[in-house]
Amino acid sequence: MKDIPAIQLWHAGSSSDEPGLLERCCESLLSDEELLRANQFRVPTSRNQHVVGRGMARRLLGRGQVEPEEICFAIEKNGKPYVTQPSWARCPFNIAHTDGLVMCGIGTECQGLLGVDVEKTSRRTDPALADRYFSQPEIEILRRCGSENVRRNTFLKIWTLKEAFIKAIGTGLRTPLAEFAFERIDSRNPVIRMLNPDLESIAHWSFFLMEPRPGYIGAVAFGADSAAQQPDLKLQRFEDVL
Ligand code: COA
Ligand code: MG
């Protein structure tokens, strides 16, 4: 029997102002080009997030077998980074950041499409956005929410799931968000329904919703070639391995 594929989801609390120990450590793992890019951010939060996300990815993809800065990334046409070298490190990975938290998902097998997203639960939400961009079944789910609080939470769950999916397929906002709908939003493993048949071509999808740390909501999307078993998700604190 084939092993169940695993996805590691690492999270780290990044600083919103001056770089701290985490940022300094991650900085030392970056390529010159990444450091240059990081230094172009004017807002410290954005700089810290970029540094921590890339540092984490390098460290984790390198698995202690290669210096993190020697991992080579290339960028797909819509901005998704992927590993080119060394060949054994070409695992699916994806980074997401929000105020105070950075997540990096890594697939332990070299196959599959992976997308992650994270949001702060206190972030401002605008119900008009749902009416404008979400699919009709999702709009209905939001309408049926009993209280403002539940509606807010449900909105954020759908939002992070949608973003994890468009990041997994790498198209970002080029894929209209109303072309797919999430169901079973209240479960740990929501499911997707493609409303545009063109999206059906890819993979068998697994989704995870979780609270990586108090005050944050995270989502993971993983697309595999076959409808094998649902992958396992392991959450880990990056600070513990620094
Ligand atoms: N696909 C997958 N990953 C991508 C990507 C793409 N097309 N483009 C960039 N990324 C990765 C990068 O690693 C990036 O971090 P880095 O530049 O520091 O390495 C990281 O994803 C950023 O992710 P996140 O923190 O989630 O950024 P974001 O929330 O601003 O959104 C996209 C990223 C890809 C979805 C982008 O298309 C976007 O502009 N989104 C706006 C937010 C939005 O409206 N979302 C809709 C939710 S329903
Ligand atoms: Mg995001």
Side-chain angles (χ1 to χ4, degrees), residues 97-125:
H97 8 78
T98 189
D99 186 25
L101 197 71
V102 180
M103 292 202 321
C104 179
I106 308 241
T108 51
E109 292 181 358
C110 281
Q111 277 149 6
L113 301 175
L114 182 61
V116 302
D117 191 44
V118 64
E119 299 290 347
K120 217 171 179 172
T121 45
S122 60
R123 73 165 277 172
R124 205 174 58 85
T125 58

PDB file of all heavy atoms in Angstrom, residues 97-125:
ATOM      1  N   HIS A  97       1.593  35.227   4.135  1.00  0.00           N
ATOM      2  CA  HIS A  97       1.815  36.061   5.309  1.00  0.00           C
ATOM      3  C   HIS A  97       0.649  36.991   5.586  1.00  0.00           C
ATOM      4  O   HIS A  97      -0.074  37.383   4.680  1.00  0.00           O
ATOM      5  CB  HIS A  97       3.080  36.905   5.233  1.00  0.00           C
ATOM      6  CG  HIS A  97       3.808  36.924   3.924  1.00  0.00           C
ATOM      7  ND1 HIS A  97       3.408  37.663   2.856  1.00  0.00           N
ATOM      8  CD2 HIS A  97       4.943  36.277   3.552  1.00  0.00           C
ATOM      9  CE1 HIS A  97       4.269  37.499   1.872  1.00  0.00           C
ATOM     10  NE2 HIS A  97       5.213  36.657   2.246  1.00  0.00           N
ATOM     11  N   THR A  98       0.547  37.327   6.845  1.00  0.00           N
ATOM     12  CA  THR A  98      -0.409  38.343   7.264  1.00  0.00           C
ATOM     13  C   THR A  98       0.219  39.022   8.473  1.00  0.00           C
ATOM     14  O   THR A  98       1.266  38.565   8.953  1.00  0.00           O
ATOM     15  CB  THR A  98      -1.783  37.712   7.587  1.00  0.00           C
ATOM     16  OG1 THR A  98      -2.739  38.750   7.795  1.00  0.00           O
ATOM     17  CG2 THR A  98      -1.738  36.828   8.824  1.00  0.00           C
ATOM     18  N   ASP A  99      -0.397  40.086   8.929  1.00  0.00           N
ATOM     19  CA  ASP A  99       0.197  40.838  10.034  1.00  0.00           C
ATOM     20  C   ASP A  99       0.534  39.920  11.218  1.00  0.00           C
ATOM     21  O   ASP A  99      -0.356  39.344  11.836  1.00  0.00           O
ATOM     22  CB  ASP A  99      -0.815  41.912  10.461  1.00  0.00           C
ATOM     23  CG  ASP A  99      -0.222  42.825  11.507  1.00  0.00           C
ATOM     24  OD1 ASP A  99       1.011  42.945  11.550  1.00  0.00           O
ATOM     25  OD2 ASP A  99      -0.998  43.391  12.299  1.00  0.00           O
ATOM     26  N   GLY A 100       1.820  39.741  11.499  1.00  0.00           N
ATOM     27  CA  GLY A 100       2.244  38.974  12.669  1.00  0.00           C
ATOM     28  C   GLY A 100       2.440  37.488  12.478  1.00  0.00           C
ATOM     29  O   GLY A 100       2.906  36.805  13.391  1.00  0.00           O
ATOM     30  N   LEU A 101       2.080  36.944  11.335  1.00  0.00           N
ATOM     31  CA  LEU A 101       2.259  35.493  11.144  1.00  0.00           C
ATOM     32  C   LEU A 101       2.636  35.138   9.696  1.00  0.00           C
ATOM     33  O   LEU A 101       2.069  35.701   8.754  1.00  0.00           O
ATOM     34  CB  LEU A 101       0.991  34.731  11.526  1.00  0.00           C
ATOM     35  CG  LEU A 101       1.218  33.230  11.760  1.00  0.00           C
ATOM     36  CD1 LEU A 101       1.995  32.982  13.051  1.00  0.00           C
ATOM     37  CD2 LEU A 101      -0.082  32.460  11.818  1.00  0.00           C
ATOM     38  N   VAL A 102       3.589  34.223   9.585  1.00  0.00           N
ATOM     39  CA  VAL A 102       3.999  33.734   8.263  1.00  0.00           C
ATOM     40  C   VAL A 102       3.812  32.219   8.273  1.00  0.00           C
ATOM     41  O   VAL A 102       4.134  31.553   9.259  1.00  0.00           O
ATOM     42  CB  VAL A 102       5.481  34.073   7.986  1.00  0.00           C
ATOM     43  CG1 VAL A 102       5.907  33.563   6.613  1.00  0.00           C
ATOM     44  CG2 VAL A 102       5.700  35.586   8.063  1.00  0.00           C
ATOM     45  N   MET A 103       3.284  31.680   7.178  1.00  0.00           N
ATOM     46  CA  MET A 103       3.130  30.216   7.076  1.00  0.00           C
ATOM     47  C   MET A 103       3.865  29.730   5.827  1.00  0.00           C
ATOM     48  O   MET A 103       3.878  30.403   4.800  1.00  0.00           O
ATOM     49  CB  MET A 103       1.664  29.821   6.927  1.00  0.00           C
ATOM     50  CG  MET A 103       0.820  30.074   8.132  1.00  0.00           C
ATOM     51  SD  MET A 103      -0.703  29.063   8.226  1.00  0.00           S
ATOM     52  CE  MET A 103      -1.309  28.965   6.566  1.00  0.00           C
ATOM     53  N   CYS A 104       4.419  28.533   5.948  1.00  0.00           N
ATOM     54  CA  CYS A 104       5.047  27.905   4.790  1.00  0.00           C
ATOM     55  C   CYS A 104       4.619  26.450   4.755  1.00  0.00           C
ATOM     56  O   CYS A 104       4.876  25.697   5.703  1.00  0.00           O
ATOM     57  CB  CYS A 104       6.571  28.024   4.897  1.00  0.00           C
ATOM     58  SG  CYS A 104       7.423  27.235   3.524  1.00  0.00           S
ATOM     59  N   GLY A 105       3.949  26.059   3.696  1.00  0.00           N
ATOM     60  CA  GLY A 105       3.529  24.664   3.525  1.00  0.00           C
ATOM     61  C   GLY A 105       4.523  23.959   2.626  1.00  0.00           C
ATOM     62  O   GLY A 105       4.984  24.531   1.636  1.00  0.00           O
ATOM     63  N   ILE A 106       4.844  22.703   2.974  1.00  0.00           N
ATOM     64  CA  ILE A 106       5.785  21.921   2.163  1.00  0.00           C
ATOM     65  C   ILE A 106       5.208  20.516   1.972  1.00  0.00           C
ATOM     66  O   ILE A 106       4.796  19.889   2.956  1.00  0.00           O
ATOM     67  CB  ILE A 106       7.150  21.761   2.888  1.00  0.00           C
ATOM     68  CG1 ILE A 106       7.681  23.117   3.328  1.00  0.00           C
ATOM     69  CG2 ILE A 106       8.135  20.951   2.065  1.00  0.00           C
ATOM     70  CD1 ILE A 106       8.984  23.552   2.755  1.00  0.00           C
ATOM     71  N   GLY A 107       5.194  20.046   0.742  1.00  0.00           N
ATOM     72  CA  GLY A 107       4.768  18.673   0.475  1.00  0.00           C
ATOM     73  C   GLY A 107       5.984  17.770   0.616  1.00  0.00           C
ATOM     74  O   GLY A 107       7.074  18.125   0.180  1.00  0.00           O
ATOM     75  N   THR A 108       5.814  16.614   1.228  1.00  0.00           N
ATOM     76  CA  THR A 108       6.983  15.755   1.436  1.00  0.00           C
ATOM     77  C   THR A 108       7.291  14.914   0.199  1.00  0.00           C
ATOM     78  O   THR A 108       8.333  14.298   0.112  1.00  0.00           O
ATOM     79  CB  THR A 108       6.794  14.833   2.654  1.00  0.00           C
ATOM     80  OG1 THR A 108       5.542  14.175   2.502  1.00  0.00           O
ATOM     81  CG2 THR A 108       6.804  15.623   3.943  1.00  0.00           C
ATOM     82  N   GLU A 109       6.366  14.876  -0.758  1.00  0.00           N
ATOM     83  CA  GLU A 109       6.642  14.185  -2.015  1.00  0.00           C
ATOM     84  C   GLU A 109       6.821  15.231  -3.103  1.00  0.00           C
ATOM     85  O   GLU A 109       6.298  16.338  -2.988  1.00  0.00           O
ATOM     86  CB  GLU A 109       5.480  13.272  -2.383  1.00  0.00           C
ATOM     87  CG  GLU A 109       5.355  12.116  -1.424  1.00  0.00           C
ATOM     88  CD  GLU A 109       4.221  11.184  -1.794  1.00  0.00           C
ATOM     89  OE1 GLU A 109       3.511  11.455  -2.773  1.00  0.00           O
ATOM     90  OE2 GLU A 109       4.056  10.191  -1.077  1.00  0.00           O
ATOM     91  N   CYS A 110       7.544  14.844  -4.149  1.00  0.00           N
ATOM     92  CA  CYS A 110       7.851  15.837  -5.185  1.00  0.00           C
ATOM     93  C   CYS A 110       6.698  16.079  -6.148  1.00  0.00           C
ATOM     94  O   CYS A 110       6.885  16.598  -7.237  1.00  0.00           O
ATOM     95  CB  CYS A 110       9.104  15.434  -5.937  1.00  0.00           C
ATOM     96  SG  CYS A 110      10.566  15.842  -4.983  1.00  0.00           S
ATOM     97  N   GLN A 111       5.484  15.644  -5.782  1.00  0.00           N
ATOM     98  CA  GLN A 111       4.365  15.848  -6.692  1.00  0.00           C
ATOM     99  C   GLN A 111       3.224  16.564  -6.010  1.00  0.00           C
ATOM    100  O   GLN A 111       3.116  16.519  -4.782  1.00  0.00           O
ATOM    101  CB  GLN A 111       3.850  14.484  -7.166  1.00  0.00           C
ATOM    102  CG  GLN A 111       4.660  13.952  -8.302  1.00  0.00           C
ATOM    103  CD  GLN A 111       4.705  12.442  -8.276  1.00  0.00           C
ATOM    104  OE1 GLN A 111       4.042  11.813  -7.470  1.00  0.00           O
ATOM    105  NE2 GLN A 111       5.493  11.889  -9.157  1.00  0.00           N
ATOM    106  N   GLY A 112       2.399  17.167  -6.803  1.00  0.00           N
ATOM    107  CA  GLY A 112       1.206  17.792  -6.258  1.00  0.00           C
ATOM    108  C   GLY A 112       1.279  19.306  -6.322  1.00  0.00           C
ATOM    109  O   GLY A 112       2.339  19.902  -6.499  1.00  0.00           O
ATOM    110  N   LEU A 113       0.101  19.909  -6.213  1.00  0.00           N
ATOM    111  CA  LEU A 113      -0.015  21.369  -6.224  1.00  0.00           C
ATOM    112  C   LEU A 113      -0.400  21.809  -4.821  1.00  0.00           C
ATOM    113  O   LEU A 113      -1.351  21.287  -4.248  1.00  0.00           O
ATOM    114  CB  LEU A 113      -1.124  21.800  -7.191  1.00  0.00           C
ATOM    115  CG  LEU A 113      -0.972  21.367  -8.648  1.00  0.00           C
ATOM    116  CD1 LEU A 113      -2.211  21.759  -9.442  1.00  0.00           C
ATOM    117  CD2 LEU A 113       0.270  22.006  -9.253  1.00  0.00           C
ATOM    118  N   LEU A 114       0.366  22.768  -4.277  1.00  0.00           N
ATOM    119  CA  LEU A 114       0.122  23.178  -2.896  1.00  0.00           C
ATOM    120  C   LEU A 114      -0.086  24.688  -2.819  1.00  0.00           C
ATOM    121  O   LEU A 114       0.667  25.461  -3.424  1.00  0.00           O
ATOM    122  CB  LEU A 114       1.329  22.754  -2.048  1.00  0.00           C
ATOM    123  CG  LEU A 114       1.276  23.028  -0.557  1.00  0.00           C
ATOM    124  CD1 LEU A 114       0.116  22.300   0.105  1.00  0.00           C
ATOM    125  CD2 LEU A 114       2.580  22.586   0.102  1.00  0.00           C
ATOM    126  N   GLY A 115      -1.108  25.080  -2.080  1.00  0.00           N
ATOM    127  CA  GLY A 115      -1.346  26.504  -1.839  1.00  0.00           C
ATOM    128  C   GLY A 115      -1.738  26.714  -0.389  1.00  0.00           C
ATOM    129  O   GLY A 115      -2.440  25.878   0.189  1.00  0.00           O
ATOM    130  N   VAL A 116      -1.254  27.792   0.212  1.00  0.00           N
ATOM    131  CA  VAL A 116      -1.630  28.079   1.598  1.00  0.00           C
ATOM    132  C   VAL A 116      -2.047  29.541   1.706  1.00  0.00           C
ATOM    133  O   VAL A 116      -1.622  30.392   0.923  1.00  0.00           O
ATOM    134  CB  VAL A 116      -0.481  27.779   2.612  1.00  0.00           C
ATOM    135  CG1 VAL A 116      -0.038  26.339   2.515  1.00  0.00           C
ATOM    136  CG2 VAL A 116       0.707  28.700   2.439  1.00  0.00           C
ATOM    137  N   ASP A 117      -2.898  29.812   2.685  1.00  0.00           N
ATOM    138  CA  ASP A 117      -3.234  31.209   2.968  1.00  0.00           C
ATOM    139  C   ASP A 117      -3.509  31.375   4.449  1.00  0.00           C
ATOM    140  O   ASP A 117      -3.891  30.423   5.130  1.00  0.00           O
ATOM    141  CB  ASP A 117      -4.447  31.672   2.148  1.00  0.00           C
ATOM    142  CG  ASP A 117      -4.606  33.182   2.251  1.00  0.00           C
ATOM    143  OD1 ASP A 117      -3.587  33.899   2.152  1.00  0.00           O
ATOM    144  OD2 ASP A 117      -5.731  33.662   2.449  1.00  0.00           O
ATOM    145  N   VAL A 118      -3.281  32.583   4.931  1.00  0.00           N
ATOM    146  CA  VAL A 118      -3.533  32.873   6.347  1.00  0.00           C
ATOM    147  C   VAL A 118      -4.058  34.303   6.475  1.00  0.00           C
ATOM    148  O   VAL A 118      -3.644  35.194   5.722  1.00  0.00           O
ATOM    149  CB  VAL A 118      -2.250  32.654   7.193  1.00  0.00           C
ATOM    150  CG1 VAL A 118      -1.123  33.602   6.819  1.00  0.00           C
ATOM    151  CG2 VAL A 118      -2.546  32.756   8.689  1.00  0.00           C
ATOM    152  N   GLU A 119      -4.991  34.496   7.381  1.00  0.00           N
ATOM    153  CA  GLU A 119      -5.525  35.835   7.663  1.00  0.00           C
ATOM    154  C   GLU A 119      -5.695  35.985   9.161  1.00  0.00           C
ATOM    155  O   GLU A 119      -5.884  34.999   9.875  1.00  0.00           O
ATOM    156  CB  GLU A 119      -6.917  36.027   7.009  1.00  0.00           C
ATOM    157  CG  GLU A 119      -6.957  35.902   5.504  1.00  0.00           C
ATOM    158  CD  GLU A 119      -6.282  37.029   4.749  1.00  0.00           C
ATOM    159  OE1 GLU A 119      -5.972  38.078   5.371  1.00  0.00           O
ATOM    160  OE2 GLU A 119      -6.054  36.863   3.545  1.00  0.00           O
ATOM    161  N   LYS A 120      -5.656  37.237   9.602  1.00  0.00           N
ATOM    162  CA  LYS A 120      -5.911  37.538  11.002  1.00  0.00           C
ATOM    163  C   LYS A 120      -7.434  37.571  11.185  1.00  0.00           C
ATOM    164  O   LYS A 120      -8.124  38.190  10.360  1.00  0.00           O
ATOM    165  CB  LYS A 120      -5.330  38.927  11.290  1.00  0.00           C
ATOM    166  CG  LYS A 120      -4.720  39.069  12.629  1.00  0.00           C
ATOM    167  CD  LYS A 120      -3.993  40.383  12.736  1.00  0.00           C
ATOM    168  CE  LYS A 120      -3.420  40.482  14.118  1.00  0.00           C
ATOM    169  NZ  LYS A 120      -2.552  41.630  14.262  1.00  0.00           N
ATOM    170  N   THR A 121      -7.937  36.938  12.228  1.00  0.00           N
ATOM    171  CA  THR A 121      -9.400  36.888  12.351  1.00  0.00           C
ATOM    172  C   THR A 121      -9.993  38.263  12.678  1.00  0.00           C
ATOM    173  O   THR A 121     -11.173  38.498  12.462  1.00  0.00           O
ATOM    174  CB  THR A 121      -9.851  35.860  13.422  1.00  0.00           C
ATOM    175  OG1 THR A 121      -9.037  36.016  14.570  1.00  0.00           O
ATOM    176  CG2 THR A 121      -9.722  34.453  12.917  1.00  0.00           C
ATOM    177  N   SER A 122      -9.130  39.177  13.180  1.00  0.00           N
ATOM    178  CA  SER A 122      -9.655  40.504  13.498  1.00  0.00           C
ATOM    179  C   SER A 122      -9.656  41.437  12.283  1.00  0.00           C
ATOM    180  O   SER A 122     -10.032  42.591  12.390  1.00  0.00           O
ATOM    181  CB  SER A 122      -8.810  41.137  14.610  1.00  0.00           C
ATOM    182  OG  SER A 122      -7.470  41.258  14.173  1.00  0.00           O
ATOM    183  N   ARG A 123      -9.209  40.935  11.138  1.00  0.00           N
ATOM    184  CA  ARG A 123      -9.127  41.841   9.985  1.00  0.00           C
ATOM    185  C   ARG A 123     -10.516  42.311   9.562  1.00  0.00           C
ATOM    186  O   ARG A 123     -11.517  41.624   9.751  1.00  0.00           O
ATOM    187  CB  ARG A 123      -8.361  41.232   8.811  1.00  0.00           C
ATOM    188  CG  ARG A 123      -9.095  40.154   8.063  1.00  0.00           C
ATOM    189  CD  ARG A 123      -8.439  39.881   6.737  1.00  0.00           C
ATOM    190  NE  ARG A 123      -8.879  40.833   5.718  1.00  0.00           N
ATOM    191  CZ  ARG A 123      -8.361  40.920   4.513  1.00  0.00           C
ATOM    192  NH1 ARG A 123      -7.349  40.157   4.176  1.00  0.00           N
ATOM    193  NH2 ARG A 123      -8.829  41.768   3.627  1.00  0.00           N
ATOM    194  N   ARG A 124     -10.526  43.470   8.954  1.00  0.00           N
ATOM    195  CA  ARG A 124     -11.797  44.037   8.505  1.00  0.00           C
ATOM    196  C   ARG A 124     -12.340  43.174   7.360  1.00  0.00           C
ATOM    197  O   ARG A 124     -11.589  42.757   6.486  1.00  0.00           O
ATOM    198  CB  ARG A 124     -11.525  45.452   7.990  1.00  0.00           C
ATOM    199  CG  ARG A 124     -12.702  46.382   8.038  1.00  0.00           C
ATOM    200  CD  ARG A 124     -12.240  47.776   7.640  1.00  0.00           C
ATOM    201  NE  ARG A 124     -11.646  47.781   6.300  1.00  0.00           N
ATOM    202  CZ  ARG A 124     -12.335  47.885   5.171  1.00  0.00           C
ATOM    203  NH1 ARG A 124     -13.650  47.979   5.197  1.00  0.00           N
ATOM    204  NH2 ARG A 124     -11.728  47.901   3.994  1.00  0.00           N
ATOM    205  N   THR A 125     -13.628  42.887   7.406  1.00  0.00           N
ATOM    206  CA  THR A 125     -14.206  42.130   6.287  1.00  0.00           C
ATOM    207  C   THR A 125     -15.334  42.966   5.693  1.00  0.00           C
ATOM    208  O   THR A 125     -16.009  43.700   6.412  1.00  0.00           O
ATOM    209  CB  THR A 125     -14.786  40.777   6.751  1.00  0.00           C
ATOM    210  OG1 THR A 125     -15.770  41.032   7.746  1.00  0.00           O
ATOM    211  CG2 THR A 125     -13.717  39.861   7.305  1.00  0.00           C
TER     212      THR A 125
END
